[in-house]
Amino acid sequence: MSAAREPVSSTDTLDRLAAVLESRKPAHGGDPEKSYVARLLHKGPDAFLKKITEEAGEAVMAAKDLQHGQGTAQALVGEVADLWFHSMVALAHFGLSPADVVSELARREGLSGLEEKALRKALARDAGE
């Protein structure tokens, strides 16, 4: 029998990770020789944006493998964790946090996905006129 795990608060976990990412920024003394995150941030957006693209592709492939009985749920979870992590590096670089994303998700809660997408398109169209 496996040991019971304590419930994990996703908000607390994301907040702690965001604080670590913030501390790895070059402006806060992040050392690219000692920290992967500091190295990504030091290289600039092209480096971490490339990683986001790579991790998104790997998440898609893990999902496809799982769909076809060739992968595992844990492989998909691992790839999505990598995608979230690198996305959080981008958020940190641009002065944003997981709370900003959670607020946006809360704003969308209860909205029809089709209606929300149509509204975004209309707003973008109006802004372009």
Side-chain angles (χ1 to χ4, degrees):
M1 181 170 15
S2 64
R5 286 179 33 174
E6 290 291 318
V8 176
S9 167
S10 57
T11 304
D12 290 347
T13 300
L14 293 174
D15 287 346
R16 283 192 308 274
L17 179 54
V20 169
L21 296 176
E22 190 67 26
S23 75
R24 299 297 197 266
K25 286 181 172 182
H28 297 139
D31 184 351
E33 297 297 318
K34 296 180 181 175
S35 165
Y36 171 72
V37 172
R39 187 175 311 136
L40 279 176
L41 292 169
H42 178 76
K43 289 181 179 180
D46 285 348
F48 55 77
L49 296 175
K50 181 178 177 183
K51 285 300 293 181
I52 291 170
T53 301
E54 175 187 320
E55 299 302 345
E58 291 175 4
V60 168
M61 295 310 299
K64 295 294 260 179
D65 287 347
L66 187 56
Q67 176 185 11
H68 296 292
Q70 299 171 344
T72 65
Q74 186 54 46
L76 176 57
V77 168
E79 295 301 342
V80 171
D82 291 344
L83 176 59
W84 284 19
F85 175 84
H86 289 91
S87 296
M88 287 181 64
V89 171
L91 289 172
H93 174 80
F94 293 109
L96 300 166
S97 73
D100 296 307
V101 177
V102 170
S103 292
E104 177 60 14
L105 290 171
R107 185 192 68 76
R108 296 179 184 185
E109 189 175 6
L111 295 176
S112 159
L114 296 174
E115 290 173 6
E116 198 275 335
K117 185 175 180 178
L119 176 61
R120 278 188 286 140
K121 283 184 176 181
L123 290 172
R125 185 180 56 246
D126 290 349
E129 292 179 356

